[in-house]
Amino acid sequence: MNGKIAALLRDFAAIQKSKQSMWGYERAASAILALEEPIESLLQPDGTLRKIPNIGPSSSRVILEVLQTGTSPTVERAIEERGQAKDVERRRDLRGHFLSRAQVVAALRNKTLIGPRLDDYRGDLQMHSTWSDGSQTLDAIVAAGIERGYSFCGVTDHSYGLPIARGVSMADLAEQHRAIDRLNRKHKGVFRLIKGIEANIRADGSVDMTPSELAQLELVVAAPHSSLRVATDQTSRMVAAVKTPGVHILGHPRGRKYGSRPGVTADWDKVFAAAKRAQVAIEIDGDPARQDVDYDLAKRAVEAGCLFALDSDAHSTSELRYAETAIAHARLAGVPTERIVNCWPTERVIEWLRSRRSDASTQSA
Ligand SMILES: [Zn+2]
C-alpha cells in the first residue's frame, strides 16, 4: 500500500503546473516510501491519519482516498483532464519491483524467506566518501561500520572518468590509499577498509581505467552511467564489462532510476552466465531510487549460479542502512547466503578480491 500511494503521489506531482506543488507531492511520496510501517497502521479510529512529517493536507486527502477505495479519484481525474495518461503510464512502468521501506522491514522480518539475515551481513562493498561525491570521511565510515557490526567496508569513490561525480584523480587515490593504510593499522583485527573504485563502463563495454591503474586497487566495482535511456540491446557491453580483468563487481547493473529511466536493456541470462564464469559478483544496489538488480532479476542470477554483492551505494553514513534494502531483495530472491560476498569472513573476501587481481596480471601479461 505504501508503494502504491507513493506512486500515485508521484503521478500527481508529475502533472502539477506549479513547481511548488510538484515539489510538495514529491516530498510526500518520499515520506511514504520511507515509512517503517504499513500506512494502514497510521489510520486512527475517527478515520483520519496520524500526523506524518512532510505530508500536507492535500496529500493526506489522496492517501485517505486510496485507503478507502483502493485508488485516488482525485489523481486519476486530474491525469485525465490534463490529457497526460500516456506519460503517466510510461512512468508507472518504471516503478516495477521497487520496495518501500515498510516492505524492506517486512522482508527482513519474514522468517519464511530463505536468504541472508541482517546478522549474516559483515560488510558493505560500495560507498562514496569525501574523496569524490560523498559527504562521509574515511574515519566516519570506519566508525559507522564498526557501529553497524561490520568487519569491512569497501571505499569505492568514482573514477576520474566521471567528472560529473567529482571522480578521484590517480594522484588523490594514492593519497587516499595512504590514509586507508593508516586507518587499517589503527583498527587491525577489528575492521578493514578496502581500497576500491567505482569505475565507469563505457558504451563499448570497456572500463575507463587502464589495467595498471586497476591493478592499484583491491576492489573494482564496474558500473554503467551512460546510455541508460535507450532501448537498443547492450548485452555485448555488459558481457565485455564482466570479462574485464580486475573487475570484481558489476555495480547497479541496469542503471535504472525509480520512475525516471529504465536503464540498460540486455539479455541478462547471457550477462549472468559470463559473470558466473568470471566469478564477478552481481550487485544488488540498495539505494532506494536504484534497487538494482531487483529481486525479480536477481532470481535469474541465482539460477545462473552467480556470486552477489549487496551494497548500500551510500554517500553519507546515514545511507549505510540502504544495505538493508539490498538484503531484503536478496531474501525475496532466495539468494543463498554462501554466494553473497558481503557475508564472507574478511580473509575470504580479500582472497577473492586478490584472486581476480592475479587473474588480471596473468591475462594482461
Ligand atoms: Zn554508480
Side-chain angles (χ1 to χ4, degrees):
M1 191 55 94
N2 295 17
K4 185 177 187 176
I5 289 173
L8 274 165
L9 288 168
R10 281 286 195 135
D11 289 343
F12 209 21
I15 60 169
Q16 296 303 311
K17 292 203 179 83
S18 91
K19 272 252 160 8
Q20 202 183 351
S21 17
M22 182 186 285
W23 183 75
Y25 289 119
E26 273 178 5
R27 195 176 61 161
S30 304
I32 299 289
L33 281 180
L35 283 178
E36 297 274 319
E37 57 279 277
I39 184 125
E40 297 91 320
S41 67
L42 300 180
L43 206 51
Q44 305 181 109
D46 66 355
T48 61
L49 214 50
R50 203 164 349 132
K51 181 96 190 93
I52 309 167
N54 292 332
I55 292 183
S58 33
S59 295
S60 280
R61 196 176 67 196
V62 171
I63 295 168
L64 287 172
E65 280 181 0
V66 183
L67 286 176
Q68 282 151 14
T69 70
T71 182
S72 167
T74 307
V75 175
E76 299 297 348
R77 204 165 41 234
I79 294 169
E80 208 56 47
E81 277 168 16
R82 286 168 211 185
Q84 283 176 303
K86 249 209 171 116
D87 188 45
V88 167
E89 202 52 50
R90 187 186 58 79
R91 285 165 189 276
R92 284 179 179 171
D93 284 346
L94 299 175
R95 298 196 195 107
H97 306 112
F98 278 89
L99 303 177
S100 66
R101 176 70 189 167
Q103 285 174 304
V104 168
V105 171
L108 294 175
R109 284 188 191 142
N110 184 342
K111 291 203 168 63
T112 67
L113 295 171
I114 56 163
R117 291 167 306 141
L118 222 41
D119 291 353
D120 297 324
Y121 191 79
R122 298 171 190 240
D124 191 338
L125 293 173
Q126 197 202 154
M127 67 190 62
H128 303 268
S129 76
T130 48
W131 290 81
S132 68
D133 62 347
S135 66
Q136 47 187 353
T137 61
L138 299 180
D139 286 88
I141 289 172
V142 173
I146 292 172
E147 167 136 13
R148 294 184 68 82
Y150 296 172
S151 308
F152 56 87
C153 274
V155 181
T156 57
D157 282 304
H158 291 284
S159 58
Y160 61 83
L162 207 62
I164 193 168
R166 298 213 307 273
V168 57
S169 70
M170 291 310 291
D172 280 355
L173 207 54
E175 205 183 312
Q176 185 195 53
H177 288 178
R178 285 191 288 277
I180 289 178
D181 286 337
R182 275 197 298 277
L183 283 164
N184 282 342
R185 275 196 298 275
K186 189 169 157 195
H187 298 282
K188 199 172 164 47
V190 177
F191 191 86
R192 174 75 153 76
L193 275 183
I194 296 170
K195 297 167 187 166
I197 197 88
E198 181 184 3
N200 185 33
I201 302 173
R202 295 196 191 99
D204 65 358
S206 64
V207 162
D208 67 348
M209 294 177 83
T210 67
S212 71
E213 287 168 350
L214 291 178
Q216 294 170 40
L217 293 145
E218 297 183 283
L219 160 67
V220 176
V221 179
H225 297 96
S226 60
S227 306
L228 306 176
R229 293 176 193 270
V230 295
T232 44
D233 180 87
Q234 300 189 59
T235 307
S236 58
R237 178 192 189 193
M238 304 316 281
V239 168
V242 298
K243 282 174 143 178
T244 305
V247 168
H248 300 97
I249 296 174
L250 180 60
H252 53 71
R254 293 172 67 185
R256 69 173 186 165
K257 268 278 168 78
Y258 179 78
S260 116
R261 65 175 192 230
V264 167
T265 302
D267 180 340
W268 290 106
D269 296 319
K270 279 197 185 138
V271 178
F272 296 153
K276 146 88 173 140
R277 271 196 300 279
Q279 290 291 291
V280 165
I282 298 300
E283 187 180 65
I284 300 182
D285 184 312
D287 179 329
R290 289 190 179 274
Q291 309 197 22
D292 180 8
V293 297
D294 59 54
Y295 61 91
D296 195 45
L297 202 46
K299 281 182 198 156
R300 281 159 62 187
V302 171
E303 274 164 39
C306 291
L307 293 174
F308 284 82
L310 316 183
D311 302 325
S312 67
D313 199 353
H315 287 66
S316 65
T317 50
S318 65
E319 291 177 358
L320 288 170
R321 71 168 194 168
Y322 292 171
E324 294 161 21
T325 310
I327 296 169
H329 277 276
R331 288 177 65 76
L332 292 169
V335 180
T337 306
E338 64 272 16
R339 279 210 240 149
I340 300 168
V341 295
N342 316 71
C343 299
W344 294 351
T346 310
E347 310 77 63
R348 189 173 169 202
V349 175
I350 300 292
E351 191 42 50
W352 166 65
L353 295 174
R354 220 174 260 153
S355 72
R356 291 280 306 143
R357 285 175 81 195
S358 53
D359 281 349
S361 51
T362 32
Q363 282 173 31
S364 59

